[in-house]
Structure formats: C-alpha cells, structure tokens
C-alpha cells in the first residue's frame, strides 16, 4: 500500500508540474529524494510524460486538427487560406530542431545522468528558472500568431534547449523566450505547448526501448500505468489553470515559489 501511494504522489506531482513553470523533472527528483524510493525515475518520467502528452493533445485537439489539415492542403496546393497555418507548422518544426539535436547529443554522452544525481544542482536550476520568470513578469507583448518570425521560432527553440537541464522548466523557458520576443502572453503560451508535443512524442518513442527491454514485474507495470493515468488527468486541469494565470500576468507567484523551493533544496537536501 505504501509503495502504490508513492507512485500516486509522483504521478500527481509530475502531472501538476509538467505544464507549469517549476520543472516537473526537478520536482520528481526532489520528491523521490524525500520519499527515499527505489523507483526508476527515468522510466517513470517517460511514462508519466506520455500521460501529460495525451492531456495536451486533447486540450489542443481542434487546433492540431486544423493545423494538420491546412498543412497537408497547402503542400498539395498553395492557397492563401492555408498559408498562415502552414507557416505556423513550419515555425513549430524549426523551433523543435535545436532541442531535438541537443537532446540526442546529451543522451549519447550521458551528461545529464550525472547532473540528475546531484539534488543540489536542481536547487540551483530552480533559482535560474525563477530568474527567467522574473524577467518577463510584467511583459504583455504585441505579436500574435501571424507575426511570429523565423528568428522568434529559433530563439524559442534555443530556450527549449536550456530546459533539457534538470530543474529548468520547459514551459517556463519557452514562454520566457516567446515573451522576450514580444509575443502576446496567450500567443507565447500556445506556441510553447504546441511545441511540447513533438518533443514529448520523441521522448516517449526513445523511452519505449528501455521499457520494452526492462524486466519489470506485472505489479510494477500496473503502478507505472496508474501514475501515468493520474499524471494525464492532473496535467489536463493544471494546464487550463496555468493558461489563465499567464493571461492574468501572475507569474510572480511562480518566481517566489521557485526561489523558496530552490533555496530549501540547496540548504537542506
């Protein structure tokens, strides 16, 4: 019973912290350290991330459908009606490339495997996340979807590379990148979460290899699936809540939170 409670807690934490700018990977590492579990955090992260991915896809299902249809239509026939969405898809693809390349490199080199073993490093990166969010706390931006440039997409993509570091929030860093490029809050939010989808799909596919070659017991698999389902449900509601927070310009609360948690981790863990 105690073991299943640990998986439930980790699923809730992953699901809630995935969409908000406080680093889901950092929080799962912190909680795992506090609970003193033998859970394979890497495996758990891949599976619960899949749960979060399903939630984001469901939330943006209409937008994704429209983008996909217009993208295919524009490839078949250049049309003014589909040009804007075709261009938006290209920008998402371009913004995905930097993190995709860097992710493969650091995975091969095992760089972050070393960093993930140092819990105090997560405390430091949470402070960095707080600094990022502090920079854009009052920015409203003026650019909407049709005004996003190639340079904007590349810079947002580079901010996503930074989020590969444990403790740096992916949603936070990409929203920061967008708002520093003068995107409107909601525009930066939507671009950030649509950008999350291809990266998360790639992460899930790469993680399946480890899952299929592992010798997990049936009960452990059930625990992982439970955590994944919980993460998906929690991510759905957390994303809707966080979008309203961004629209209202209340990111300062996350600045304070990351400062407090980061400091506590450095001092006491």
């Amino acid at each position: 019973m105690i073991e299943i409670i640990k998986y439930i807690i980790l699923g809730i934490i992953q699901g809630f912290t995935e969409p908000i700018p406080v680093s889901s990977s950092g929080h799962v590492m912190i909680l795992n350290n506090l609970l003193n579990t033998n859970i394979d955090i890497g495996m758990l992260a891949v599976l619960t991330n899949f749960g979060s991915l399903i939630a984001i896809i469901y939330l943006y299902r209409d937008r994704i459908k429209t983008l996909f249809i217009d993208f295919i239509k524009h490839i078949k026939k250049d049309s003014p009606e589909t040009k804007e969405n075709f261009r938006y898809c290209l920008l998402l693809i371009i913004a995905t490339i930097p993190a995709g390349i860097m992710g493969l490199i650091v995975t091969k080199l095992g760089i972050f495997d070393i960093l993930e073993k140092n819990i105090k490093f997560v405390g430091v990166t949470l402070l960095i996340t707080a600094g990022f969010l502090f920079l854009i706390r009052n920015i409203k931006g003026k650019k909407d979807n049709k005004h996003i440039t190639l340079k904007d997409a590349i810079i947002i993509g580079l901010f996503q590379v930074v989020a590969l570091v444990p403790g740096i929030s992916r949603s936070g860093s990409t929203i920061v990148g967008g708002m520093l490029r003068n995107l409107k809050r909601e525009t930066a939010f939507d671009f950030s979460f649509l950008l999350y989808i291809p990266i998360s799909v790639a992460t899930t596919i790469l993680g399946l290899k480890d899952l299929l070659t592992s010798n997990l017991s049936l009960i452990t698999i059930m625990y992982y699936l439970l955590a994944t389902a919980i993460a998906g449900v929690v991510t759905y509601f957390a994303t809707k809540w966080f979008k309203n927070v961004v629209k209202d310009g209340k990111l300062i609360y996350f600045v304070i939170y990351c400062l407090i948690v980061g400091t506590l981790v450095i001092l006491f863990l």
Side-chain angles (χ1 to χ4, degrees):
M1 182 58 71
I2 294 177
E3 193 68 13
I4 194 172
I5 290 174
K6 290 179 181 179
Y7 277 91
I8 291 173
I9 293 173
L10 288 169
I12 292 172
I13 294 299
Q14 161 66 27
F16 185 69
T17 57
E18 179 62 52
I20 67 176
V22 298
S23 176
S24 59
S25 61
H27 276 71
V28 170
M29 287 170 61
I30 292 169
L31 189 61
N32 190 53
N33 184 278
L34 292 173
L35 294 175
N36 191 29
T37 73
N38 294 319
I39 296 173
D40 184 339
I41 291 301
M43 183 76 71
L44 182 73
V46 169
L47 292 174
T48 52
N49 175 75
F50 177 69
S52 296
L53 169 64
I54 296 302
I56 300 302
I57 290 175
Y58 182 75
L59 279 168
Y60 281 93
R61 61 192 182 281
D62 293 334
R63 178 66 169 147
I64 292 170
K65 180 181 178 181
T66 300
L67 286 172
F68 180 77
I69 291 174
D70 284 357
F71 184 80
I72 299 300
K73 283 183 177 179
H74 198 81
I75 291 176
K76 292 181 178 179
K77 182 181 179 180
D78 191 335
S79 169
E81 289 79 17
T82 58
K83 184 176 182 180
E84 184 177 327
N85 282 338
F86 176 79
R87 179 177 173 276
Y88 191 88
C89 288
L90 288 181
L91 292 175
L92 285 172
I93 293 170
I94 291 168
T96 302
I97 293 173
I101 294 174
M102 188 57 67
L104 289 174
I105 293 173
V106 298
T107 299
K108 287 288 185 181
L109 297 177
I111 295 174
F112 292 152
D113 290 340
I114 299 172
L115 296 178
E116 287 175 353
K117 295 177 182 178
N118 188 342
I119 195 68
K120 291 190 183 298
F121 179 79
V122 174
V124 173
T125 51
L126 281 172
L127 296 183
I128 294 173
T129 293
F132 279 164
L133 295 173
F134 185 78
L135 286 175
I136 51 97
R137 66 196 185 283
N138 295 322
I139 295 178
K140 294 183 178 180
K142 297 179 180 179
K143 296 159 69 173
D144 55 23
N145 290 335
K146 64 183 178 181
H147 296 122
I148 301 175
T149 65
L150 175 61
K151 185 176 181 180
D152 295 335
I154 292 173
I155 290 176
I156 294 171
L158 292 174
F159 267 86
Q160 184 161 245
V161 171
V162 178
L164 293 172
V165 179
I168 299 292
S169 167
R170 193 216 62 85
S171 64
S173 60
T174 50
I175 289 173
V176 167
M179 291 179 69
L180 287 177
R181 293 299 301 167
N182 201 31
L183 269 62
K184 293 179 180 178
R185 290 168 178 166
E186 191 167 0
T187 301
F189 183 95
D190 289 339
F191 194 86
S192 170
F193 278 84
L194 287 169
L195 186 60
Y196 164 79
I197 294 172
I199 287 293
S200 183
V201 168
T203 300
T204 300
I205 292 173
L206 291 173
L208 281 176
K209 179 182 178 182
D210 294 331
L211 178 62
L212 295 174
T213 56
S214 64
N215 295 315
L216 298 175
S217 65
L218 179 60
I219 189 66
T220 300
I221 292 175
M222 295 298 293
Y223 287 163
Y224 277 127
L225 292 177
L226 175 62
T228 299
I230 290 173
V233 173
V234 175
T235 293
Y236 174 82
F237 291 105
T239 303
K240 295 181 71 173
W241 169 72
F242 179 49
K243 187 168 188 175
N244 290 326
V245 172
V246 173
K247 287 169 64 176
D248 294 339
K250 296 179 180 179
L251 290 174
I252 189 63
Y253 297 126
F254 296 107
V255 174
I256 296 171
Y257 176 82
C258 287
L259 282 174
I260 293 173
V261 175
T263 301
L264 291 174
V265 169
I266 292 172
L267 293 177
F268 300 107
L269 293 181

